[in-house]
Amino acid sequence: MRPWPVNGVAFGGDYNPEQWPRSVWPEDMELMRRAGVSFVTLGVFSWSWLEPAKGEYEFGWLDEIMDLLDANGIAVDLATATATPPPWFSTAFPQTLPVDHDGHTLWPGSRQAWCPSDETYREHALALTGALASRYHEHPALAMWHVSNEYACHNLPCYCDTCAAAFRRWLRRRYATLDELNEAWGTAFWSQRYTDWEQILPPRRTTSFANPTQQLDFSRFGSDTLLDFYQAEKQVISERSPGVPITTNFMTMAGFRLLDYHQWASHQDVVSTDHYLVDTLPDQRAELAFADDLTRGLAGGQPWMLMEHSTSAVNWQPVNHAKWPGQTIRDSLAHVARGADTLGFFQWRASQSGSEKFHSGLVPHAGADSDRFREVCELGAVAARLGELVGSVVESDVALLWDYQAGWAASGPAMPSSQLEYADTGLTIHRLLRERGVTVDVVHPGADLTAYRVVVVPTLYLVSDENAAAISRAAEAGAQVVVTFFSGIATPDDHVRLGGYPGAFSELLGVRVEEFFPLMPDETVALEHGGAGRLWSEDLREQGAEVLDRYASGPLTGRAALTRRTVGAGDAWYLATLPDDERLGRLLDDVLAAGDVHAVSAAPAGVDRVRRRGDRGSWLFLVNDTTSQQPVNADGYDLVADRLVVGSLTLPPGGVAVIREG
Amino acid sequence: MRPWPVNGVAFGGDYNPEQWPRSVWPEDMELMRRAGVSFVTLGVFSWSWLEPAKGEYEFGWLDEIMDLLDANGIAVDLATATATPPPWFSTAFPQTLPVDHDGHTLWPGSRQAWCPSDETYREHALALTGALASRYHEHPALAMWHVSNEYACHNLPCYCDTCAAAFRRWLRRRYATLDELNEAWGTAFWSQRYTDWEQILPPRRTTSFANPTQQLDFSRFGSDTLLDFYQAEKQVISERSPGVPITTNFMTMAGFRLLDYHQWASHQDVVSTDHYLVDTLPDQRAELAFADDLTRGLAGGQPWMLMEHSTSAVNWQPVNHAKWPGQTIRDSLAHVARGADTLGFFQWRASQSGSEKFHSGLVPHAGADSDRFREVCELGAVAARLGELVGSVVESDVALLWDYQAGWAASGPAMPSSQLEYADTGLTIHRLLRERGVTVDVVHPGADLTAYRVVVVPTLYLVSDENAAAISRAAEAGAQVVVTFFSGIATPDDHVRLGGYPGAFSELLGVRVEEFFPLMPDETVALEHGGAGRLWSEDLREQGAEVLDRYASGPLTGRAALTRRTVGAGDAWYLATLPDDERLGRLLDDVLAAGDVHAVSAAPAGVDRVRRRGDRGSWLFLVNDTTSQQPVNADGYDLVADRLVVGSLTLPPGGVAVIREG
Amino acid sequence: MRPWPVNGVAFGGDYNPEQWPRSVWPEDMELMRRAGVSFVTLGVFSWSWLEPAKGEYEFGWLDEIMDLLDANGIAVDLATATATPPPWFSTAFPQTLPVDHDGHTLWPGSRQAWCPSDETYREHALALTGALASRYHEHPALAMWHVSNEYACHNLPCYCDTCAAAFRRWLRRRYATLDELNEAWGTAFWSQRYTDWEQILPPRRTTSFANPTQQLDFSRFGSDTLLDFYQAEKQVISERSPGVPITTNFMTMAGFRLLDYHQWASHQDVVSTDHYLVDTLPDQRAELAFADDLTRGLAGGQPWMLMEHSTSAVNWQPVNHAKWPGQTIRDSLAHVARGADTLGFFQWRASQSGSEKFHSGLVPHAGADSDRFREVCELGAVAARLGELVGSVVESDVALLWDYQAGWAASGPAMPSSQLEYADTGLTIHRLLRERGVTVDVVHPGADLTAYRVVVVPTLYLVSDENAAAISRAAEAGAQVVVTFFSGIATPDDHVRLGGYPGAFSELLGVRVEEFFPLMPDETVALEHGGAGRLWSEDLREQGAEVLDRYASGPLTGRAALTRRTVGAGDAWYLATLPDDERLGRLLDDVLAAGDVHAVSAAPAGVDRVRRRGDRGSWLFLVNDTTSQQPVNADGYDLVADRLVVGSLTLPPGGVAVIREG
């Protein structure tokens, strides 16, 4: 099913006409047409305008704007409007307010102030969803359903009594008996043995560290609870509006990990996500690429929708930079390069009031007579020309494993080092591979790995026996498998695998680690073959592995830091520390050479390269992430510049080329 | 009405005799006379001693001390004692305890633990006030009434249910209809549309950013609520004690902005304030001058009372420095220079126990046989000699605008930059003008600006149409108007003015800004004519303005950073960034030259200069803020050294001269 | 009474067999024998396994393991298991959960979630204790009773209503009348005068600083409440199990000061403590030595038990370093050097799950085939050889005063400097003395000081008249008494002693301080005789004291910084600032010379030296805390290397020798 009945890459964004007087609406239509907008998302936060009192619906304004959009040829992604209830609801049902870890009620006056387990909320939300689906399922503008908004942001986790009861129900489904739960949670420690289900609570504020498996299960419960809510909304819609695709917008930025999207993805008719650049990251473009490669992994390698990104500045960072001239286009095309077939923005017009009034819009406060809006129009024209590549897929020989549940467990209390942030090692390796022109698929450990020549396993702290075995089989079958420290340590119950680290991968890697020696924030340990490791080191004893490098300082001097073991037709590499970029890069070069993996194309440093391939040919994306012009080799037709390229072209600073090859 | 029936600058402070055995009182009188103390503030925290049980008053000790003070010729500023209720009150009426943003009750055991909206508290406070006024209105020692203490510190804002109800009542007075409120608050965003007044809450802890106009109105409500309380106390007093001046002590330090003192000032018979130096500030003497110039602005240019400052160290900072030898005198005279006709200290004797026992007093723990007390006596003698200048006013040609409400709005959630602190830009410009020997009046945007040659408008984020027009008229009439970035952006409802920044001042300045580019904490942007900007930059397009300087680095290279437009008889200057001191100083030199504004007198760097002028002549204050001696030109009689000065004098390190001129 | 009926230094640790399947138990016995384990602590967190429902005991597993241990010759320190109640208890009696300063309930799911004042908790705990004592008092494996665990960690302070009522009862015992309390607390300040006991509350979250004496009394109340609880448990045991020694494990690390262990110590049949190295300390070995010297002081100079330390890494620090090879042995012997006759570890096997699974154990995750376990076995062998010195005592000529109550008062709100941490100055002086080879006894100010040649009084902010007099008498009698700034300031009610600082010691020292000038974190003040002071300075006037050094910068230039006064047969030294190590070291050299105190033995820098002496001779401990080998002079038999030493030996990096002398 193709989600968007539009030509070219669908282009548009969140449209909140209820924020503006009706006199503005005709101008909106004129400017949307000028910009080439082909779709809008309507109604995300409109509940209080659609249902101003219980059961009393006001659909008139929505009818009007739907008709207006249809008349202007703009498709509608219609939201269920259930992301935030109206004030009357919270006033009538105060028990639906979420409660934080310390027991503080989270009051209305912002957004998404509802307990994910609450049945009253669910009833009201489903009623509204049903009313919308019944009313608009045949509207000619309707192209898609948009369920709620950015689930889990900001009402998860909730620690209220309703959630406590729901958590207990969830646990009774997970564990056949209390004995099983006591064993899984390790309640023999600290006198926590449960003798009745009713004794179990969410991991609220405690005197000291809360039970880590309780916390892990509570994270699972939170994700499952909202997924169940999503599925209920989806069912209401699909009964009333069959054939119209349904999605909810994920948040696949590396720093947002409240939901296990690998469990959510299969319930989406099309995977969609939001992406916002974070200025405080050391390399925000690397994070963008990682998030996109993860989103594509969630979509099973198929194209996906970018539901929201920003035209220019956001307003929720400590300091909110506007985008440089041309950056709106560059950022959008960088997403298309990695599989986005839709370019959605939050939001059409920058608000005049409210909490996001300093968030940029396609139409800025300065109005249409502005460079930013002119750039938006230019992007719309480019998006239209990209229609030919819609449906094509991104080529990649490298998989990097990502598991939200491993991340939850690794973020538990009282770990060897609080410096170890689950995403960091994976982001580092991904960044270095991208700098080498190598495209990476970010996939779940349980994904089919047979087609990959290189499989990277970064800090996969928790892993099931099955997935560990599949990773080993990939090496046996010929892949280069690269495992980093703090992988394979724990079972899915967060029990340490005994007998020497890294438990599940010890045999594959031919190493046995007796103790961890995590490093202080500014501490490094020298390596014999140059460079240094940071973050982590280990007392490693090789048991069949070849030593590639050793520590040259510190208490582990002379112990192995980097190893490789030949396994069947492949190799298993182990990083017991996190080398600096130069040393790690050299190792990755060796891995790529061993795996016969090559760059998408040759290009200067700072030029991102990705190839999409479809039935109708292939397209090479060249994105200049530097602030100077860059010469690159290319042959074909550049859909951005709308001209033929023979042999080479020069990318301007921040410029992008999309070359139809052959 | 002259508030103090004493000769010279009134000199004294808070006196808490109930903390000490009666045997100490005669020594107090002896030492007060020795120091030249002419007034004391009595009873600020005496409620639990005046009314140990509901309705049972114990005035005996107060009678005694009032008589004793009268017998020693010391005037009394009698407090209503309503700043902190006794334990019996809080125990009997626990609902009167304030509640913080997270819902935590603030318990008794400190000070001011009462909800500002509570009627029970008000009744009891007014009863005590009435009893005191009835008893003492004819006491010969009574010179003034001191209502409560440092209002809003520390019981504002309070988020309890009583305040929620009071907030709703306040909103019903502000907005004729819910539709009006919904429009003002922009509730179309995030589904916040209210359909019943009862749905509205204080901006308690929420999931994400609370509605900014709700927060702004809640700040207004808090200030209004306490002002109403103050007025009720004042009325009780004025009915029973007519003709005795009434005040409450403000806290006009730049960092304390919980109350809109511009609304409070007109209800004071005489404006009084407290001032404490903050050691962690980069230039604490500049802040002292700013706070004094603001206090004088609140007093409409007239002299004011310094109700509290400290003899030496305070005890609420992370590290509490004692004052250097001589600093007590210097600090006090610096206040007199800028309009203080009263020098009050907290407190007479340093406490032996309790939460402020390490706060310095006029009599230190070491006793009267100490250098600090000898310096206090010296100050008392100087204060007596300053009697001739009482009532004179400070000369100034420069206004700098300050608006508590603009500050509240600019401190709202999710702004372009959290680095922008409302007071900082104003403090920076004020400091540079002071270093140039130029005295500044800090006044409200609605003040009469016609007499000023220079008007500085720093980060006036929120401004009404009327005030914006008055500022433009000042330029038309000949003033040099200096506007900085992030001014004129929003209406009083915190709605962004559309069509290009800086909305309300765009036409006056002849500029149009399309986007903000705020800078990271350590980020700077080079300027063509030397130096660099920090904190802020903007994508500015001149529309009639002359460009004075341009960015020479970053994404805005070549865009205008500093501009000027001639407007009628004056000029309108715009700073789109905050230049470093040297570059900003050069610009201010140009502004002063254009406005024909000159230094009060010539003096070396680090010597503060202010002139007070009255019916009986003029007095030049010269304050040496450096740690070395400084030669200055002066002619007249130095009231500090008590000797004639001809042509010049040398100020010792930290020394002060007050020259009667002519 | 010798607590441990084992040969050699008792060696073992916490054993939690209920965490492991019974199949592991025989291996445990085999490995314990291999390692030389002579005792284990059983049942610390076993309540939920011993009493799975109210009054239903399951002792079978404990019978079994007790018998197994007995069969293997391993003595048992049997815990009362009352440290953490089972979930059924907290569910049935939710009012027993502790409440924090902000009013947040601390929920179960971690450990020690019980209100220290709760009677219901006490009843249930005493019932369990009684059942255990009745059942096991004649068991042949039973060697000791271990009451609860690490009292006060983490359930003190608790601010619930039960504690409020208990606090009031405690206050009624402390103060005869409310007037007495009002006087002690200084309630004349800030209107806090109490007129009924029921008005009094714990120092919960307040608007500003809470009353400091209220806070001090609340700390006293907390310590007393848990001591009372301990005594109740002890009585239940001693009635049922007479003759078996009873203890509870203290936490004498310098950073843990919730209990006044000086009041607790006399109620222990043998003093025991836990010690964990803190990686973020500047000198963790100095802290270890300090904590041990304090523990010995609590034990009245007699040997004590190290109930817990760690084999390698802990898991509650931000980054948890493993110990270097050999460090387990070094750390253990360093404790023996300073009086430990028992070496207990937490815990036998590293857990596989739960909150401490990454805390090291005697048997690591890697298993017995690991270097760490081999080092454990080596330590066990050494411990057995040390049997001859059991009961011997540590020699010392220097006392350093430590008072938990002075620490509480000095940590109160609104002090002159938040930079002054009670323990720091004492730790600094202790470290410099230890570097000089001088052993220090850390004792209470009320201890018998007559035998000491040097008495150090660091920041003894609060001191009673009696103890101040005893310190003066020590000087009169010939001791060198070294007092530092911020000593003698307050009475036990935290009232400032008037007339000049340092109040209680002013006369002894011959100085009078008029004001404090605490220094900013990075601020220093030069000294005339080289070096600089930090943290603190004072406006000091000598009154009979000889000036040893003066400030050479800052506002106090020329004032005395270091002084000495000859008093009777001794001297009284005063430090008005904290000199850098070099300068302070020079001063301490002078003090030691004046006191005729010499190093235990000569040794290179970084080699710790302590001598224990008993009826059967003396033993010199030499601990190499450096990472290089160190030659030292020694004659005798080295119990570690198990060989004769003649004249000298070379300590390897981190190596230890225990020389039987003569």
Side-chain angles (χ1 to χ4, degrees), chain A residues 303-637:
Chain A
W304 46 276
M305 301 177 65
L306 182 64
M307 192 64 91
E308 297 180 17
H309 65 321
S310 73
T311 319
S312 187
V314 297
N315 68 329
W316 42 263
Q317 304 197 48
V319 176
N320 298 285
H321 279 146
K323 294 192 175 184
W324 290 42
Q327 191 182 341
T328 309
I329 292 175
R330 177 179 54 158
D331 291 352
S332 289
L333 296 183
H335 290 296
V336 177
R338 292 174 186 276
D341 273 5
T342 298
L343 291 172
F345 288 85
F346 177 84
Q347 59 177 333
W348 168 245
R349 271 186 193 274
S351 296
Q352 204 176 352
S353 57
S355 285
E356 298 204 68
K357 62 180 177 292
F358 286 113
H359 193 295
S360 59
L362 289 165
V363 182
H365 286 149
D369 178 16
S370 62
D371 283 0
R372 192 61 67 189
F373 187 70
R374 284 182 283 273
E375 186 175 328
V376 163
C377 295
E378 191 185 336
L379 174 60
V382 172
R385 285 200 292 278
L386 296 179
E388 62 185 59
L389 60 72
V390 164
S392 63
V393 297
V394 172
E395 288 187 336
S396 165
D397 295 318
V398 178
L400 187 147
L401 305 189
W402 175 266
D403 182 0
Y404 289 96
Q405 302 209 14
W408 295 335
S411 308
M415 299 300 267
S417 173
S418 63
Q419 294 296 304
L420 190 148
E421 209 290 318
Y422 172 64
D424 282 355
T425 303
L427 277 165
T428 299
I429 295 176
H430 183 277
R431 172 172 55 78
L432 292 172
L433 290 171
R434 176 171 163 271
E435 288 175 5
R436 281 157 174 73
V438 172
T439 308
V440 176
D441 287 350
V442 178
V443 300
H444 187 263
D448 178 4
L449 303 175
T450 51
Y452 293 106
R453 293 189 197 153
V454 171
V455 175
V456 181
V457 186
T459 53
L460 191 65
Y461 165 72
L462 174 157
V463 68
S464 68
D465 294 343
E466 298 82 342
N467 290 342
I471 290 165
S472 295
R473 282 196 304 273
E476 295 275 355
Q480 303 298 312
V481 173
V482 181
V483 180
T484 83
F485 54 89
F486 216 49
S487 296
I489 303 304
T491 68
D493 285 338
D494 198 10
H495 288 212
V496 175
R497 296 171 184 274
L498 301 180
Y501 313 124
F505 298 119
S506 202
E507 188 180 328
L508 167 68
L509 299 165
V511 303
R512 179 165 175 272
V513 172
E514 293 195 3
E515 288 190 305
F516 302 133
F517 281 68
L519 303 175
M520 290 285 187
D522 294 326
E523 198 179 1
T524 59
V525 57
L527 298 173
E528 280 188 0
H529 295 179
R534 61 180 178 84
L535 187 62
W536 199 268
S537 62
E538 295 180 338
D539 184 6
L540 183 153
R541 319 301 171 90
E542 52 272 24
Q543 296 195 329
E546 172 192 0
V547 178
L548 302 177
D549 212 337
R550 295 180 188 275
Y551 301 111
S553 70
L556 300 171
T557 299
R559 294 265 182 229
L562 306 173
T563 66
R564 177 179 55 200
R565 174 171 168 252
T566 299
V567 184
D571 292 288
W573 310 63
Y574 185 58
L575 285 72
T577 187
L578 184 60
D580 56 70
D581 280 4
E582 193 279 330
R583 182 67 190 89
L584 180 52
R586 271 195 279 143
L587 184 85
L588 293 174
D589 286 339
D590 293 345
V591 170
L592 295 174
D596 199 25
V597 174
H598 303 281
V600 167
S601 76
V607 175
D608 193 24
R609 295 146 272 171
V610 184
R611 181 172 284 109
R612 291 183 63 163
R613 188 178 297 278
D615 299 337
R616 286 166 292 178
S618 68
W619 293 264
L620 175 64
F621 283 72
L622 297 163
V623 184
N624 182 359
D625 283 334
T626 77
T627 54
S628 50
Q629 58 177 35
Q630 301 291 352
V632 285
N633 296 327
D635 273 292
Y637 193 85

Side-chain angles (χ1 to χ4, degrees), chain A residues 101-104 161 182-195 198-215 413-419 461 486 489-491 493-501 512-521 523 535 539 541 543 554-555 559, chain C residues 16 18-20 45-50 52-53 58 81 84-89 91 98 100 102 104-114 154-155 279-280 311-325 346-347 350-358 360 364-372 374:
Chain A
H101 181 256
D102 288 342
H104 305 133
D161 288 342
N182 279 314
E183 169 62 23
W185 287 18
T187 58
F189 198 66
W190 284 359
S191 192
Q192 299 175 350
R193 177 187 177 191
Y194 295 98
T195 52
E198 290 306 306
Q199 294 160 0
I200 302 173
L201 292 167
R204 294 171 175 168
R205 187 182 185 88
T206 48
T207 48
S208 178
F209 305 119
N211 183 296
T213 310
Q214 177 189 16
Q215 295 194 46
M415 299 300 267
S417 173
S418 63
Q419 294 296 304
Y461 165 72
F486 216 49
I489 303 304
T491 68
D493 285 338
D494 198 10
H495 288 212
V496 175
R497 296 171 184 274
L498 301 180
Y501 313 124
R512 179 165 175 272
V513 172
E514 293 195 3
E515 288 190 305
F516 302 133
F517 281 68
L519 303 175
M520 290 285 187
E523 198 179 1
L535 187 62
D539 184 6
R541 319 301 171 90
Q543 296 195 329
R559 294 265 182 229
Chain C
N16 298 302
E18 70 271 35
Q19 285 187 38
W20 299 91
F45 290 111
S46 302
W47 190 344
S48 70
W49 295 84
L50 292 171
E58 285 187 359
T84 299
W88 65 256
F89 177 84
T91 304
D100 77 4
D102 288 342
H104 305 135
T105 296
L106 302 180
W107 295 89
S110 180
R111 53 184 262 189
Q112 271 140 310
W114 50 278
H154 315 264
N155 58 346
D279 286 337
T280 48
T311 320
S312 187
V314 298
N315 70 328
W316 41 263
Q317 304 197 48
V319 176
N320 298 285
H321 280 146
K323 293 193 174 183
W324 290 43
F346 177 85
Q347 59 178 337
S351 295
Q352 204 175 350
S353 56
S355 284
E356 299 204 69
K357 62 180 176 292
F358 287 112
S360 60
H365 286 149
D369 178 15
S370 62
D371 282 2
R372 191 62 66 189
R374 283 182 282 274

Side-chain angles (χ1 to χ4, degrees), chain C residues 71-87:
Chain C
N72 283 275
I74 298 166
V76 172
D77 171 40
L78 189 55
T80 59
T82 54
T84 299

Side-chain angles (χ1 to χ4, degrees), chain A residues 66-88:
Chain A
M66 290 282 285
D67 292 348
L68 197 57
L69 288 162
D70 183 49
N72 283 275
I74 297 166
V76 173
D77 170 40
L78 188 56
T80 58
T82 53
T84 299
W88 65 257

Side-chain angles (χ1 to χ4, degrees), chain C residues 43 50 57 59 62 78-82 126-137 142 145 240-241:
Chain C
L50 292 171
Y57 298 111
F59 289 131
L62 187 56
L78 189 55
T80 59
T82 54
L126 295 185
L128 174 63
T129 300
L132 282 163
S134 297
R135 186 175 191 94
Y136 295 106
H137 71 282
L142 180 69
W145 287 100
R240 288 163 182 77
S241 182

